[in-house]
Amino acid sequence: MPTGGFRGVAFSLIPGLNTALHYQRAWLVPDLRAGIVLSFLLIPAGMGYAEASGLPAYTGLYATIVPLVVYAVFGPSRILVLGPDSALAPIIAASILPLALGNTERAIALAGLLGLMVGLTLLIAGLFRLGFVTDLLSKPIRVGYLNALALLVIISQIPKLLGFSIEAPGPIQGIGAIVQGAAAGSIVVGAMLLGLASLAVIVGLRFLLGGRIPGVLIAVVASIVVTAIFSLQNILPIVGAMPQGLPAPALGGLVWDDVVSLIGPALGIALIAFADTGVLSRTLAARRGDSVDGSQEMAGLGIANIGGGFFGGFPISASTSRTPVAEQAGARSQLTPVIGALIIVIFMLVAPGVTGYLPTATLGAVVIVAAASLLDVSGASRLWRIDKTDALLSIAAFLGVFLVGVLQGILVAIGLSLVAFVIRAWRPYRAELGRIPGVRGYHDRSRHPDADRVPGIVIVRFDAPLFFANGGIFDDYVRSMVRRAERESEAGGTPVHTVILAAEPITDIDTTAIDELLELDEYLASRGVTLVLAEVKGPVKDRLQAFGLGDRFSPERLAPTVGAAVDAASGELRDDIGGAI
């Protein structure tokens, strides 16, 4: 294999290799800074979601460290941060706890097995190029999705900012619980002051100094110092110290029955993880001017899950709270999550107690600012100005994700997108074309009143594939144009003898539309009118041949251009601007 070809394959299979070979020196400081900031968020998030999954807190760190490093090598996104996720935690707990029967070691082994099965599912799907589903995630869906996620994350962090916690099944209930907690006096004043001060530092430095000084890092370090000096760790909610020990395999005691029991949960988690990761990855890539291959993203996520599952972790996906923190902190490449993972390892070995002085209110402030950066209000308003249908799709995605759930909301929005596509193709734009003296080509008469019909000829254009839903509309439209032309010819004009279909926009035709085309042809023939198809695309010609219509629509009825069809029908050879030659 040529060297270039080998390198191309290597870069495709191992995107991190391409980043390493093309790494820019200017990225190093931003990546280091972002990695340090990110590490302080990775620790509490990992530990918290592990407990929510029914597992020991330290497994959340294992499920963070290994996937971050693996994805940095095999994942296509340069900014995505992977780790334990709130959407997966309840499914993981419901899947493994009934099988573990109170045995913690067995629960850890089952969680690792579940991670392996999720990873294998995603890897196989990626190898079979099933990542095309991300093509269904249109801009309106992505805008609605991110706006909903931003609000969900902000709502979830407000209690931490105020120094208390809530239990609520959804965001509406969460807002109610926050109001009730505040009214009941649950706010911890010291935590709230630290949280608001952290918000002020992060936002203030960004606006005043344009982000040249890392406000997030300053806020985190200052909060730790203040907490340690004044011994606030005894009166404020804090992250807590990290456990000691490094990731290691923990898959003992498993049997085949466990694999069978986890097949269903593994498929469901794989679908949710990729839906969440695919939308976030593609949206962030678009914002940075990059592109991400959906199948490669699926495979990279799969390998990361395999790594985490093998080394004592559990299923993970992209993080909608930690990724924007890395982005806002200035991350430039996959080195940022690697640095974050290495810092966690160092702290676990050298100073596991440092996070025992980190207030959760400060982390809440960090996440709120990062989540706010995901909000795209201007994008939503722009959609409303440009296309009301796209705006409604965006609103549907927002409401679905916000009120029902990430996967359900995305699926609803994709379904509505397909319905909108069918509606647009069902009643597409259609026009009668005419000739403007002195202007080349043939033009829409509804937009150009000075465009004249060629005597005896009706030229029509239908801007969509012909299929079962619009075949009748196409037939009715052509007939109505012919009848209108005939009424006008009764006043002294040339009788209609030819209908020319400008067929270039018609990219496909199905059996139902074929029948409609034949009925139209017979109707026109009964009135002494010849139907000519101009500029028919090759695949559509092939379909006509496959349906045995090669003799019916012989070469003389298939014109290479509209102009050639007009020349043949009128018996005159004209130049491109309508003059006879």
Side-chain angles (χ1 to χ4, degrees):
M1 178 182 294
T3 303
F6 176 79
R7 291 186 62 181
V9 172
F11 290 164
S12 176
L13 296 176
I14 312 175
L17 178 62
N18 185 45
T19 301
L21 292 177
H22 296 88
Y23 194 84
Q24 300 179 26
R25 184 178 299 177
W27 296 352
L28 183 58
V29 172
D31 277 340
L32 286 170
R33 182 177 61 216
I36 294 171
V37 171
L38 181 63
S39 65
F40 285 97
L41 185 59
L42 294 174
I43 294 167
M47 295 170 68
Y49 291 141
E51 292 180 347
S53 301
L55 297 163
Y58 67 85
T59 61
L61 297 182
Y62 298 168
T64 299
I65 295 169
V66 177
L68 284 179
V69 175
V70 172
Y71 184 84
V73 177
F74 295 100
S77 174
R78 294 197 317 178
I79 188 64
L80 211 61
V81 176
L82 267 59
D85 186 72
S86 58
L88 304 183
I91 307 176
I92 296 171
S95 304
I96 64 173
L97 294 184
L99 300 177
L101 300 176
N103 187 323
T104 300
E105 292 185 0
R106 177 163 167 77
I108 295 172
L110 288 167
L113 174 62
L114 187 59
L116 288 173
M117 294 174 66
V118 169
L120 285 172
T121 300
L122 291 167
L123 177 58
I124 293 171
L127 294 177
F128 278 93
R129 310 297 298 172
L130 298 183
F132 66 85
V133 295
T134 57
D135 294 335
L136 301 176
L137 305 174
S138 62
K139 181 178 179 179
I141 293 177
R142 298 198 303 270
V143 170
Y145 163 84
L146 278 188
N147 284 335
L149 276 185
L151 283 182
L152 287 172
V153 172
I154 290 172
I155 291 171
S156 71
Q157 297 301 310
I158 289 176
K160 295 180 181 178
L161 188 73
L162 302 178
F164 63 93
S165 60
I166 62 172
E167 292 288 340
I172 303 300
Q173 298 90 333
I175 294 173
I178 292 172
V179 173
Q180 291 176 2
S186 300
I187 295 176
V188 179
V189 177
M192 181 181 69
L193 292 176
L194 268 177
L196 293 177
S198 299
L199 274 177
V201 169
I202 298 169
V203 176
L205 288 177
R206 180 180 304 168
F207 279 100
L208 294 177
L209 300 177
R212 292 190 297 274
I213 296 179
V216 172
L217 181 58
I218 290 176
V220 169
V221 173
S223 295
I224 291 176
V225 172
V226 169
T227 302
I229 291 176
F230 295 100
S231 299
L232 299 178
Q233 69 273 18
N234 298 320
I235 59 176
L236 299 181
I238 58 173
V239 171
M242 290 178 289
Q244 289 184 309
L246 295 177
L251 298 170
L254 297 172
V255 295
W256 278 110
D257 287 345
D258 295 327
V259 175
V260 175
S261 299
L262 294 177
I263 290 177
L267 293 176
I269 291 174
L271 181 59
I272 295 173
F274 179 66
D276 206 359
T277 302
V279 178
L280 187 60
S281 173
R282 183 165 179 171
T283 302
L284 293 177
R287 281 170 47 167
R288 297 165 64 91
D290 298 329
S291 60
V292 173
D293 180 87
S295 297
Q296 195 173 37
E297 185 69 79
M298 188 176 277
L301 179 62
I303 298 173
N305 268 283
I306 291 173
F310 185 76
F311 284 99
F314 48 85
I316 51 90
S317 69
S319 170
T320 53
S321 60
R322 282 148 280 173
T323 299
V325 167
E327 183 185 39
Q328 290 297 304
R332 295 291 184 271
S333 74
Q334 296 99 320
L335 183 60
T336 289
V338 171
I339 291 172
L342 291 177
I343 289 174
I344 296 175
V345 171
I346 292 171
F347 276 134
M348 290 173 68
L349 295 176
V350 178
V354 68
T355 54
Y357 299 96
L358 178 59
T360 57
T362 296
L363 283 180
V366 171
V367 175
I368 287 173
V369 174
S373 69
L374 293 177
L375 287 170
D376 190 3
V377 178
S378 62
S381 62
R382 192 180 307 116
L383 285 174
W384 186 260
R385 292 194 307 269
I386 296 174
D387 191 319
K388 296 295 189 295
T389 301
D390 279 352
L392 291 174
L393 288 174
S394 184
I395 292 172
F398 173 87
L399 293 175
V401 172
F402 187 77
L403 298 176
V404 182
V406 173
L407 177 63
Q408 298 93 325
I410 291 174
L411 291 178
V412 167
I414 288 176
L416 291 176
S417 295
L418 295 176
V419 170
F421 169 78
V422 172
I423 291 174
R424 285 171 172 165
W426 171 46
R427 301 189 67 84
Y429 189 80
R430 43 210 184 270
E432 182 188 6
L433 307 182
R435 192 166 54 204
I436 302 175
V439 180
R440 297 180 183 278
Y442 296 84
H443 307 273
D444 184 350
R445 295 188 68 203
S446 67
R447 294 178 178 270
H448 301 276
D450 53 339
D452 298 323
R453 182 182 296 119
V454 179
I457 300 174
V458 175
I459 307 172
V460 294
R461 192 184 70 215
F462 197 77
D463 293 350
L466 287 175
F467 67 114
F468 64 91
N470 65 16
I473 294 173
F474 163 74
D475 190 343
D476 292 342
Y477 177 71
V478 175
R479 295 189 190 205
S480 68
M481 290 297 100
V482 171
R483 287 193 293 268
R484 177 188 297 179
E486 288 177 338
R487 287 195 299 269
E488 294 176 3
S489 69
E490 291 175 358
T494 304
V496 177
H497 55 76
T498 302
V499 170
I500 298 173
L501 173 61
E504 184 180 15
I506 300 175
T507 56
D508 195 13
I509 184 169
D510 70 3
T511 54
T512 305
I514 286 283
D515 291 339
E516 295 287 354
L517 181 64
L518 291 177
E519 290 179 12
L520 173 64
D521 189 39
E522 292 171 358
Y523 167 80
L524 295 175
S526 68
R527 304 172 77 91
V529 179
T530 301
L531 175 62
V532 177
L533 311 181
E535 302 179 13
V536 181
K537 293 185 176 298
V540 177
K541 289 182 180 179
D542 295 340
R543 298 280 282 178
L544 294 175
Q545 290 285 347
F547 284 112
L549 300 179
D551 295 334
R552 180 73 169 264
F553 291 98
S554 53
E556 59 268 17
R557 296 182 63 186
L558 297 174
T561 65
V562 173
V566 171
D567 291 343
S570 63
E572 296 182 3
L573 182 62
R574 294 177 175 270
D575 59 23
D576 287 341
I577 57 175
I581 297 177

PDB file of all heavy atoms in Angstrom, residues 345-375:
ATOM      1  N   VAL A 345      -5.801  11.157  37.970  1.00  0.00           N
ATOM      2  CA  VAL A 345      -4.929  10.068  38.402  1.00  0.00           C
ATOM      3  C   VAL A 345      -3.884  10.569  39.398  1.00  0.00           C
ATOM      4  O   VAL A 345      -3.625   9.942  40.440  1.00  0.00           O
ATOM      5  CB  VAL A 345      -4.243   9.420  37.177  1.00  0.00           C
ATOM      6  CG1 VAL A 345      -3.173   8.433  37.634  1.00  0.00           C
ATOM      7  CG2 VAL A 345      -5.272   8.720  36.299  1.00  0.00           C
ATOM      8  N   ILE A 346      -3.303  11.732  39.072  1.00  0.00           N
ATOM      9  CA  ILE A 346      -2.284  12.291  39.971  1.00  0.00           C
ATOM     10  C   ILE A 346      -2.877  12.605  41.341  1.00  0.00           C
ATOM     11  O   ILE A 346      -2.305  12.267  42.382  1.00  0.00           O
ATOM     12  CB  ILE A 346      -1.664  13.558  39.348  1.00  0.00           C
ATOM     13  CG1 ILE A 346      -0.836  13.180  38.109  1.00  0.00           C
ATOM     14  CG2 ILE A 346      -0.787  14.290  40.361  1.00  0.00           C
ATOM     15  CD1 ILE A 346      -0.360  14.367  37.307  1.00  0.00           C
ATOM     16  N   PHE A 347      -4.040  13.230  41.357  1.00  0.00           N
ATOM     17  CA  PHE A 347      -4.666  13.554  42.631  1.00  0.00           C
ATOM     18  C   PHE A 347      -5.038  12.289  43.405  1.00  0.00           C
ATOM     19  O   PHE A 347      -4.926  12.235  44.641  1.00  0.00           O
ATOM     20  CB  PHE A 347      -5.913  14.408  42.402  1.00  0.00           C
ATOM     21  CG  PHE A 347      -5.617  15.871  42.245  1.00  0.00           C
ATOM     22  CD1 PHE A 347      -6.205  16.605  41.233  1.00  0.00           C
ATOM     23  CD2 PHE A 347      -4.735  16.515  43.095  1.00  0.00           C
ATOM     24  CE1 PHE A 347      -5.944  17.967  41.084  1.00  0.00           C
ATOM     25  CE2 PHE A 347      -4.455  17.869  42.961  1.00  0.00           C
ATOM     26  CZ  PHE A 347      -5.060  18.594  41.951  1.00  0.00           C
ATOM     27  N   MET A 348      -5.503  11.258  42.674  1.00  0.00           N
ATOM     28  CA  MET A 348      -5.861  10.008  43.343  1.00  0.00           C
ATOM     29  C   MET A 348      -4.643   9.365  44.010  1.00  0.00           C
ATOM     30  O   MET A 348      -4.775   8.720  45.061  1.00  0.00           O
ATOM     31  CB  MET A 348      -6.483   9.031  42.339  1.00  0.00           C
ATOM     32  CG  MET A 348      -7.878   9.448  41.856  1.00  0.00           C
ATOM     33  SD  MET A 348      -8.501   8.384  40.531  1.00  0.00           S
ATOM     34  CE  MET A 348      -8.731   6.839  41.414  1.00  0.00           C
ATOM     35  N   LEU A 349      -3.472   9.549  43.426  1.00  0.00           N
ATOM     36  CA  LEU A 349      -2.261   8.947  43.966  1.00  0.00           C
ATOM     37  C   LEU A 349      -1.568   9.828  45.004  1.00  0.00           C
ATOM     38  O   LEU A 349      -1.011   9.330  45.984  1.00  0.00           O
ATOM     39  CB  LEU A 349      -1.274   8.646  42.828  1.00  0.00           C
ATOM     40  CG  LEU A 349      -1.733   7.591  41.809  1.00  0.00           C
ATOM     41  CD1 LEU A 349      -0.713   7.478  40.687  1.00  0.00           C
ATOM     42  CD2 LEU A 349      -1.957   6.242  42.476  1.00  0.00           C
ATOM     43  N   VAL A 350      -1.586  11.159  44.779  1.00  0.00           N
ATOM     44  CA  VAL A 350      -0.782  12.060  45.604  1.00  0.00           C
ATOM     45  C   VAL A 350      -1.616  12.833  46.619  1.00  0.00           C
ATOM     46  O   VAL A 350      -1.241  12.936  47.793  1.00  0.00           O
ATOM     47  CB  VAL A 350      -0.006  13.050  44.697  1.00  0.00           C
ATOM     48  CG1 VAL A 350       0.804  14.030  45.546  1.00  0.00           C
ATOM     49  CG2 VAL A 350       0.890  12.304  43.734  1.00  0.00           C
ATOM     50  N   ALA A 351      -2.733  13.394  46.181  1.00  0.00           N
ATOM     51  CA  ALA A 351      -3.514  14.269  47.075  1.00  0.00           C
ATOM     52  C   ALA A 351      -5.000  14.044  46.879  1.00  0.00           C
ATOM     53  O   ALA A 351      -5.705  14.926  46.391  1.00  0.00           O
ATOM     54  CB  ALA A 351      -3.142  15.726  46.822  1.00  0.00           C
ATOM     55  N   PRO A 352      -5.485  12.870  47.245  1.00  0.00           N
ATOM     56  CA  PRO A 352      -6.910  12.590  47.018  1.00  0.00           C
ATOM     57  C   PRO A 352      -7.844  13.492  47.819  1.00  0.00           C
ATOM     58  O   PRO A 352      -9.017  13.622  47.497  1.00  0.00           O
ATOM     59  CB  PRO A 352      -7.050  11.130  47.463  1.00  0.00           C
ATOM     60  CG  PRO A 352      -5.926  10.913  48.417  1.00  0.00           C
ATOM     61  CD  PRO A 352      -4.801  11.740  47.894  1.00  0.00           C
ATOM     62  N   GLY A 353      -7.317  14.168  48.868  1.00  0.00           N
ATOM     63  CA  GLY A 353      -8.184  14.985  49.705  1.00  0.00           C
ATOM     64  C   GLY A 353      -8.400  16.404  49.229  1.00  0.00           C
ATOM     65  O   GLY A 353      -9.152  17.146  49.859  1.00  0.00           O
ATOM     66  N   VAL A 354      -7.764  16.804  48.105  1.00  0.00           N
ATOM     67  CA  VAL A 354      -7.869  18.204  47.681  1.00  0.00           C
ATOM     68  C   VAL A 354      -9.312  18.590  47.348  1.00  0.00           C
ATOM     69  O   VAL A 354      -9.734  19.720  47.605  1.00  0.00           O
ATOM     70  CB  VAL A 354      -6.952  18.477  46.471  1.00  0.00           C
ATOM     71  CG1 VAL A 354      -7.436  17.748  45.235  1.00  0.00           C
ATOM     72  CG2 VAL A 354      -6.844  19.969  46.205  1.00  0.00           C
ATOM     73  N   THR A 355     -10.074  17.666  46.797  1.00  0.00           N
ATOM     74  CA  THR A 355     -11.463  17.989  46.456  1.00  0.00           C
ATOM     75  C   THR A 355     -12.361  18.031  47.687  1.00  0.00           C
ATOM     76  O   THR A 355     -13.530  18.387  47.580  1.00  0.00           O
ATOM     77  CB  THR A 355     -12.025  16.959  45.450  1.00  0.00           C
ATOM     78  OG1 THR A 355     -11.846  15.645  45.978  1.00  0.00           O
ATOM     79  CG2 THR A 355     -11.328  17.077  44.120  1.00  0.00           C
ATOM     80  N   GLY A 356     -11.812  17.694  48.835  1.00  0.00           N
ATOM     81  CA  GLY A 356     -12.571  17.824  50.067  1.00  0.00           C
ATOM     82  C   GLY A 356     -12.773  19.272  50.482  1.00  0.00           C
ATOM     83  O   GLY A 356     -13.486  19.539  51.451  1.00  0.00           O
ATOM     84  N   TYR A 357     -12.144  20.194  49.754  1.00  0.00           N
ATOM     85  CA  TYR A 357     -12.302  21.625  50.029  1.00  0.00           C
ATOM     86  C   TYR A 357     -13.000  22.357  48.886  1.00  0.00           C
ATOM     87  O   TYR A 357     -13.066  23.584  48.895  1.00  0.00           O
ATOM     88  CB  TYR A 357     -10.935  22.272  50.273  1.00  0.00           C
ATOM     89  CG  TYR A 357     -10.201  21.710  51.455  1.00  0.00           C
ATOM     90  CD1 TYR A 357      -9.250  20.703  51.302  1.00  0.00           C
ATOM     91  CD2 TYR A 357     -10.461  22.173  52.748  1.00  0.00           C
ATOM     92  CE1 TYR A 357      -8.567  20.175  52.400  1.00  0.00           C
ATOM     93  CE2 TYR A 357      -9.794  21.648  53.849  1.00  0.00           C
ATOM     94  CZ  TYR A 357      -8.852  20.655  53.653  1.00  0.00           C
ATOM     95  OH  TYR A 357      -8.204  20.142  54.745  1.00  0.00           O
ATOM     96  N   LEU A 358     -13.516  21.614  47.928  1.00  0.00           N
ATOM     97  CA  LEU A 358     -14.157  22.255  46.771  1.00  0.00           C
ATOM     98  C   LEU A 358     -15.671  22.323  46.985  1.00  0.00           C
ATOM     99  O   LEU A 358     -16.343  21.290  47.007  1.00  0.00           O
ATOM    100  CB  LEU A 358     -13.843  21.478  45.483  1.00  0.00           C
ATOM    101  CG  LEU A 358     -14.496  22.001  44.204  1.00  0.00           C
ATOM    102  CD1 LEU A 358     -14.079  23.437  43.926  1.00  0.00           C
ATOM    103  CD2 LEU A 358     -14.120  21.108  43.017  1.00  0.00           C
ATOM    104  N   PRO A 359     -16.248  23.516  47.132  1.00  0.00           N
ATOM    105  CA  PRO A 359     -17.705  23.634  47.335  1.00  0.00           C
ATOM    106  C   PRO A 359     -18.476  23.232  46.079  1.00  0.00           C
ATOM    107  O   PRO A 359     -18.080  23.571  44.960  1.00  0.00           O
ATOM    108  CB  PRO A 359     -17.910  25.124  47.643  1.00  0.00           C
ATOM    109  CG  PRO A 359     -16.555  25.643  48.012  1.00  0.00           C
ATOM    110  CD  PRO A 359     -15.578  24.815  47.223  1.00  0.00           C
ATOM    111  N   THR A 360     -19.570  22.531  46.276  1.00  0.00           N
ATOM    112  CA  THR A 360     -20.399  22.167  45.125  1.00  0.00           C
ATOM    113  C   THR A 360     -21.039  23.408  44.505  1.00  0.00           C
ATOM    114  O   THR A 360     -21.386  23.400  43.326  1.00  0.00           O
ATOM    115  CB  THR A 360     -21.511  21.189  45.558  1.00  0.00           C
ATOM    116  OG1 THR A 360     -22.286  21.786  46.611  1.00  0.00           O
ATOM    117  CG2 THR A 360     -20.928  19.880  46.040  1.00  0.00           C
ATOM    118  N   ALA A 361     -21.194  24.483  45.283  1.00  0.00           N
ATOM    119  CA  ALA A 361     -21.764  25.725  44.740  1.00  0.00           C
ATOM    120  C   ALA A 361     -20.872  26.297  43.644  1.00  0.00           C
ATOM    121  O   ALA A 361     -21.367  26.834  42.646  1.00  0.00           O
ATOM    122  CB  ALA A 361     -21.957  26.750  45.861  1.00  0.00           C
ATOM    123  N   THR A 362     -19.566  26.192  43.817  1.00  0.00           N
ATOM    124  CA  THR A 362     -18.643  26.696  42.793  1.00  0.00           C
ATOM    125  C   THR A 362     -18.763  25.874  41.520  1.00  0.00           C
ATOM    126  O   THR A 362     -18.785  26.426  40.414  1.00  0.00           O
ATOM    127  CB  THR A 362     -17.200  26.647  43.320  1.00  0.00           C
ATOM    128  OG1 THR A 362     -17.081  27.537  44.432  1.00  0.00           O
ATOM    129  CG2 THR A 362     -16.211  27.067  42.229  1.00  0.00           C
ATOM    130  N   LEU A 363     -18.849  24.560  41.675  1.00  0.00           N
ATOM    131  CA  LEU A 363     -19.019  23.722  40.491  1.00  0.00           C
ATOM    132  C   LEU A 363     -20.348  24.027  39.801  1.00  0.00           C
ATOM    133  O   LEU A 363     -20.446  24.024  38.577  1.00  0.00           O
ATOM    134  CB  LEU A 363     -18.958  22.249  40.875  1.00  0.00           C
ATOM    135  CG  LEU A 363     -17.561  21.691  41.146  1.00  0.00           C
ATOM    136  CD1 LEU A 363     -17.649  20.224  41.516  1.00  0.00           C
ATOM    137  CD2 LEU A 363     -16.655  21.880  39.955  1.00  0.00           C
ATOM    138  N   GLY A 364     -21.375  24.290  40.592  1.00  0.00           N
ATOM    139  CA  GLY A 364     -22.656  24.669  40.010  1.00  0.00           C
ATOM    140  C   GLY A 364     -22.534  25.922  39.172  1.00  0.00           C
ATOM    141  O   GLY A 364     -23.094  26.022  38.076  1.00  0.00           O
ATOM    142  N   ALA A 365     -21.775  26.907  39.667  1.00  0.00           N
ATOM    143  CA  ALA A 365     -21.562  28.146  38.911  1.00  0.00           C
ATOM    144  C   ALA A 365     -20.815  27.873  37.618  1.00  0.00           C
ATOM    145  O   ALA A 365     -21.149  28.427  36.551  1.00  0.00           O
ATOM    146  CB  ALA A 365     -20.791  29.146  39.775  1.00  0.00           C
ATOM    147  N   VAL A 366     -19.795  27.024  37.677  1.00  0.00           N
ATOM    148  CA  VAL A 366     -19.015  26.685  36.481  1.00  0.00           C
ATOM    149  C   VAL A 366     -19.913  26.054  35.421  1.00  0.00           C
ATOM    150  O   VAL A 366     -19.884  26.425  34.235  1.00  0.00           O
ATOM    151  CB  VAL A 366     -17.860  25.733  36.844  1.00  0.00           C
ATOM    152  CG1 VAL A 366     -17.185  25.212  35.576  1.00  0.00           C
ATOM    153  CG2 VAL A 366     -16.851  26.443  37.726  1.00  0.00           C
ATOM    154  N   VAL A 367     -20.735  25.109  35.835  1.00  0.00           N
ATOM    155  CA  VAL A 367     -21.595  24.402  34.888  1.00  0.00           C
ATOM    156  C   VAL A 367     -22.666  25.327  34.328  1.00  0.00           C
ATOM    157  O   VAL A 367     -23.002  25.271  33.135  1.00  0.00           O
ATOM    158  CB  VAL A 367     -22.233  23.167  35.554  1.00  0.00           C
ATOM    159  CG1 VAL A 367     -23.219  22.494  34.605  1.00  0.00           C
ATOM    160  CG2 VAL A 367     -21.157  22.184  35.976  1.00  0.00           C
ATOM    161  N   ILE A 368     -23.229  26.205  35.158  1.00  0.00           N
ATOM    162  CA  ILE A 368     -24.268  27.125  34.686  1.00  0.00           C
ATOM    163  C   ILE A 368     -23.735  28.040  33.595  1.00  0.00           C
ATOM    164  O   ILE A 368     -24.378  28.243  32.558  1.00  0.00           O
ATOM    165  CB  ILE A 368     -24.829  27.955  35.864  1.00  0.00           C
ATOM    166  CG1 ILE A 368     -25.723  27.065  36.743  1.00  0.00           C
ATOM    167  CG2 ILE A 368     -25.618  29.160  35.366  1.00  0.00           C
ATOM    168  CD1 ILE A 368     -26.187  27.742  38.016  1.00  0.00           C
ATOM    169  N   VAL A 369     -22.553  28.594  33.802  1.00  0.00           N
ATOM    170  CA  VAL A 369     -21.968  29.467  32.785  1.00  0.00           C
ATOM    171  C   VAL A 369     -21.690  28.696  31.497  1.00  0.00           C
ATOM    172  O   VAL A 369     -21.960  29.175  30.396  1.00  0.00           O
ATOM    173  CB  VAL A 369     -20.669  30.110  33.305  1.00  0.00           C
ATOM    174  CG1 VAL A 369     -19.984  30.909  32.196  1.00  0.00           C
ATOM    175  CG2 VAL A 369     -20.967  31.022  34.485  1.00  0.00           C
ATOM    176  N   ALA A 370     -21.171  27.484  31.652  1.00  0.00           N
ATOM    177  CA  ALA A 370     -20.873  26.685  30.461  1.00  0.00           C
ATOM    178  C   ALA A 370     -22.145  26.308  29.722  1.00  0.00           C
ATOM    179  O   ALA A 370     -22.209  26.379  28.488  1.00  0.00           O
ATOM    180  CB  ALA A 370     -20.104  25.426  30.871  1.00  0.00           C
ATOM    181  N   ALA A 371     -23.180  25.911  30.464  1.00  0.00           N
ATOM    182  CA  ALA A 371     -24.441  25.525  29.819  1.00  0.00           C
ATOM    183  C   ALA A 371     -25.084  26.709  29.116  1.00  0.00           C
ATOM    184  O   ALA A 371     -25.695  26.562  28.051  1.00  0.00           O
ATOM    185  CB  ALA A 371     -25.396  24.937  30.858  1.00  0.00           C
ATOM    186  N   ALA A 372     -24.956  27.885  29.708  1.00  0.00           N
ATOM    187  CA  ALA A 372     -25.539  29.079  29.086  1.00  0.00           C
ATOM    188  C   ALA A 372     -24.928  29.339  27.718  1.00  0.00           C
ATOM    189  O   ALA A 372     -25.585  29.905  26.827  1.00  0.00           O
ATOM    190  CB  ALA A 372     -25.344  30.289  29.989  1.00  0.00           C
ATOM    191  N   SER A 373     -23.675  28.910  27.520  1.00  0.00           N
ATOM    192  CA  SER A 373     -23.040  29.117  26.217  1.00  0.00           C
ATOM    193  C   SER A 373     -23.662  28.247  25.128  1.00  0.00           C
ATOM    194  O   SER A 373     -23.486  28.521  23.938  1.00  0.00           O
ATOM    195  CB  SER A 373     -21.539  28.809  26.313  1.00  0.00           C
ATOM    196  OG  SER A 373     -21.315  27.407  26.510  1.00  0.00           O
ATOM    197  N   LEU A 374     -24.401  27.204  25.535  1.00  0.00           N
ATOM    198  CA  LEU A 374     -25.071  26.355  24.558  1.00  0.00           C
ATOM    199  C   LEU A 374     -26.354  26.979  24.038  1.00  0.00           C
ATOM    200  O   LEU A 374     -26.853  26.590  22.983  1.00  0.00           O
ATOM    201  CB  LEU A 374     -25.394  24.989  25.176  1.00  0.00           C
ATOM    202  CG  LEU A 374     -24.217  24.078  25.544  1.00  0.00           C
ATOM    203  CD1 LEU A 374     -24.733  22.819  26.206  1.00  0.00           C
ATOM    204  CD2 LEU A 374     -23.375  23.743  24.329  1.00  0.00           C
ATOM    205  N   LEU A 375     -26.918  27.923  24.808  1.00  0.00           N
ATOM    206  CA  LEU A 375     -28.162  28.554  24.378  1.00  0.00           C
ATOM    207  C   LEU A 375     -27.969  29.305  23.071  1.00  0.00           C
ATOM    208  O   LEU A 375     -26.998  30.032  22.890  1.00  0.00           O
ATOM    209  CB  LEU A 375     -28.655  29.527  25.455  1.00  0.00           C
ATOM    210  CG  LEU A 375     -29.242  28.904  26.725  1.00  0.00           C
ATOM    211  CD1 LEU A 375     -29.462  29.971  27.778  1.00  0.00           C
ATOM    212  CD2 LEU A 375     -30.549  28.184  26.421  1.00  0.00           C
TER     213      LEU A 375
END
